[in-house]
């Protein structure tokens, strides 16, 4: 007879396999799509309290400037490496 621990382990394994099957379905949201949505929400400050408009606008400006600075530094680094330093 199977022990309760084996049963729990089997349930957990089935849950994990079902989740993997859902995430890998062609109709499901792809990894890139999920990450793009998450990044858009982050830059749009979707997690900030909308009751305080100054905090909301300031957070959006700060996150967008940080993103632009990161992209700029990445482009500069690529340019620097391609030219050979």
């Amino acid at each position: 007879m199977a022990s309760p621990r084996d049963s729990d382990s089997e349930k957990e394994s089935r849950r994990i396999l079902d989740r993997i099957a859902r995430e890998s379905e062609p109709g499901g949201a792809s990894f890139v799509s999920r990450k793009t949505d998450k990044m858009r929400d982050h830059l749009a400050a979707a997690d900030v309290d909308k009751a305080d408009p100054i905090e909301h606008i300031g957070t959006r400006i700060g996150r967008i400037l940080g993103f632009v600075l990161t992209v700029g530094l990445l482009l500069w680094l690529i340019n620097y490496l391609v030219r050979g330093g």
Side-chain angles (χ1 to χ4, degrees):
M1 181 159 204
S3 69
R5 182 174 176 189
D6 291 339
S7 178
D8 290 343
S9 175
E10 185 176 333
K11 286 179 185 177
E12 179 70 13
S13 298
R14 287 190 191 280
R15 187 187 65 77
I16 291 170
L17 289 173
D18 288 341
R19 180 176 171 207
I20 290 171
R22 265 195 326 271
E23 289 179 356
S24 63
E25 285 179 353
S30 70
F31 175 77
V32 174
S33 174
R34 288 191 312 266
K35 291 302 174 182
T36 303
D37 290 343
K38 186 175 178 179
M39 184 175 187
R40 183 178 52 241
D41 288 345
H42 178 74
L43 291 177
D47 58 334
V48 177
D49 183 23
K50 306 266 194 234
D52 186 2
I54 300 299
E55 180 183 1
H56 185 250
I57 292 171
T59 302
R60 285 183 74 178
I61 290 171
R63 289 179 180 179
I64 291 171
L65 284 176
F67 178 72
V68 169
L69 181 64
T70 301
V71 170
L73 283 172
L74 244 138
L75 292 174
W76 173 82
L77 177 64
I78 291 169
N79 186 29
Y80 179 77
L81 292 174
V82 167
R83 288 187 177 188

